[in-house]
Structure formats: C-alpha cells, structure tokens
Amino acid sequence: MITAPPWSTIDTVLLDMDGTLLDLHFDNHFWLEFLPQRYAERHGISRTMAEMELTPLFNEHQGKLTWYCLDFWTRELDLPIREMKREIAHLIALRPAADQFLAALRDAGKRVVLITNAHRDSLSLKLERVELAPWFDRLISSHDYGFPKEDPQFWHALRQDLELAPERALFIDDSLPILRSARAFGIAHLLAVREPDSRRGHKDTEEFAAVESYPELIRSLQGRAA
C-alpha cells in the first residue's frame, strides 16, 4: 500500500496516458512486435535483421521528441505508421478503474490535466477507442510545446501555459526518466505505476512510490480506509 498523497494540498493532478491510464500493451506490441514484422516485409529482410536495424535507431531517438513523432517514423521507415496503428487499435484499453479514478478526481474538485508525449494523431486514435476526454480540463501533447516531457523546457512551458503551482501538483507517470525530470523542475508530488503493461508484470519503480491500483488511490482521495 502506498502512502496516500496529501490531497488537501493538491490542486492540480497531471496524468500521463500510455502506461498510466491506458494499458501499455498496445504500444509495446506495436513497437516491439508489429512494426518490426512489417518493416521486415516492407524491406524484404528477415525479422532478425529488421530488429538489428531498428534497435540502434530506436535507441538514438528514445527520450527525444522524434521518438514520439509519427511523421518522423513514417519518413524514416517508409511505413504508414498511422494506418498501421489503426490496424491494431482493438488492443487499446484502459487500465483497471482508471476512469473511476478520473471521476473521483473531478468529484473532488481537482484540476485534471493530461500531459502526454504521444503525437496528436496517436492521441486522437486513443480517444476514439476510449472515452477519456470528458474527464479532463486540458489535453496537452508535448508536441504542442516542441519538447518532450524528459526535457526541462517542457515543464517551463507547462507552468506558463497552466499557471501551474508545482508545489501543489501531483504527477503520475510510468516513465522513471520523466518522473525525474518533473522532480528536478519542482513538481512536489510524484507517483510511478507498478504495472503499466498488463502482459509484463510488475516493474521496479526505484526511488518512486508507485500506484498499485486505482481503487487504492480512490479510497485515499475519498478519505476511506482500505
């Protein structure tokens, strides 16, 4: 059980999307299984050779805005990335009780903001499949600012855009580098996610307390014992 966030001191809740509200299985399957296979077919090479070509390219761009940009990967790989994502969109799914947590946040009067590195087209596809938008005051893609969440400049842009008080904000994300970036900026309350991908089991969240389940957070928000 995690230590409950000090809800009375939190005005704004910042939430990641993939791996936090949505099961990361869709994204992991797309980038690690579906795309390498299609890349191999497109370029007439083996799956093993495809992975050998893709892995250093992925490593080079991970954590940069290009890593999350569908236009970049469409050009770089000569593949219709948007259309390919739509082919397996049936895998897009909420994490258990994530929508109930969003409803509880709204009932508690918190300002709720989605901050995602996902490209706007990826965001739109996921919002088609899962009804998330009504729960949020704002939906922000890092592409709006030109910097990923890993970059300190993202957080400066966010503070100006939202008139954000970092000391009165809670941020939940499944990425440890992004949580560290938020901490360096001054976001006071941080939570990782224990199981972002339902098919891959628990992950080590290192120095960060982690969300084990959303019902647990809901109970703390509503002041109920577990």
Side-chain angles (χ1 to χ4, degrees):
M1 179 177 177
I2 64 170
T3 301
W7 291 111
S8 63
T9 70
I10 293 168
D11 299 328
T12 300
V13 178
L14 306 167
L15 294 168
D16 173 50
M17 181 171 65
D18 301 316
T20 299
L21 297 174
L22 300 183
D23 193 329
L24 197 58
H25 173 62
F26 168 81
D27 297 276
N28 281 336
H29 178 74
F30 181 84
W31 292 104
L32 301 178
E33 304 293 335
F34 190 68
L35 184 146
Q37 183 60 41
R38 291 291 289 273
Y39 181 85
E41 294 167 1
R42 173 71 181 83
H43 296 282
I45 59 177
S46 69
R47 170 67 182 270
T48 300
M49 183 61 68
E51 291 178 354
M52 289 177 63
E53 291 186 10
L54 290 170
T55 297
L57 190 59
F58 288 171
N59 290 341
E60 178 187 350
H61 290 278
Q62 195 159 20
K64 302 177 182 177
L65 198 63
T66 47
W67 171 247
Y68 305 101
C69 182
L70 302 192
D71 297 320
F72 172 80
W73 290 115
T74 296
R75 293 192 305 269
E76 191 73 17
L77 305 180
D78 191 23
L79 287 170
I81 300 297
R82 290 172 179 78
E83 291 79 2
M84 287 168 55
K85 285 195 169 221
R86 194 167 288 279
E87 285 181 50
I88 61 166
H90 61 279
L91 296 178
I92 298 169
L94 268 177
R95 295 188 63 246
D99 53 344
Q100 296 171 38
F101 177 55
L102 291 169
L105 288 172
R106 294 307 298 265
D107 288 346
K110 307 300 182 185
R111 178 169 63 159
V112 188
V113 179
L114 182 77
I115 54 172
T116 177
N117 274 334
H119 187 277
R120 277 281 173 187
D121 289 346
S122 289
L123 176 58
S124 295
L125 175 62
K126 287 168 180 176
L127 294 180
E128 284 178 26
R129 301 289 304 191
V130 179
E131 192 173 15
L132 283 176
W135 300 115
F136 288 95
D137 296 286
R138 289 281 302 279
L139 301 167
I140 294 171
S141 165
S142 60
H143 295 258
D144 301 342
Y145 299 153
F147 304 101
K149 291 186 289 183
E150 291 88 340
D151 192 314
Q153 294 183 84
F154 169 87
W155 297 99
H156 290 286
L158 183 75
R159 177 168 61 184
Q160 184 173 11
D161 186 10
L162 295 181
E163 298 182 352
L164 179 70
E167 71 279 5
R168 297 189 64 83
L170 166 67
F171 175 44
I172 306 177
D173 200 296
D174 66 301
S175 165
L176 303 187
I178 290 173
L179 287 167
R180 292 181 184 121
S181 177
R183 181 178 61 195
F185 173 71
I187 301 296
H189 308 289
L190 301 165
L191 286 173
V193 178
R194 184 72 70 199
E195 191 175 338
D197 183 331
S198 62
R199 312 291 178 92
R200 293 183 171 229
H202 287 183
K203 64 181 281 188
D204 181 1
T205 60
E206 301 184 20
E207 72 268 31
F208 295 101
V211 177
E212 303 284 351
S213 72
Y214 280 117
E216 179 184 9
L217 270 186
I218 293 167
R219 286 192 293 268
S220 75
L221 178 61
Q222 296 174 340
R224 300 202 309 264

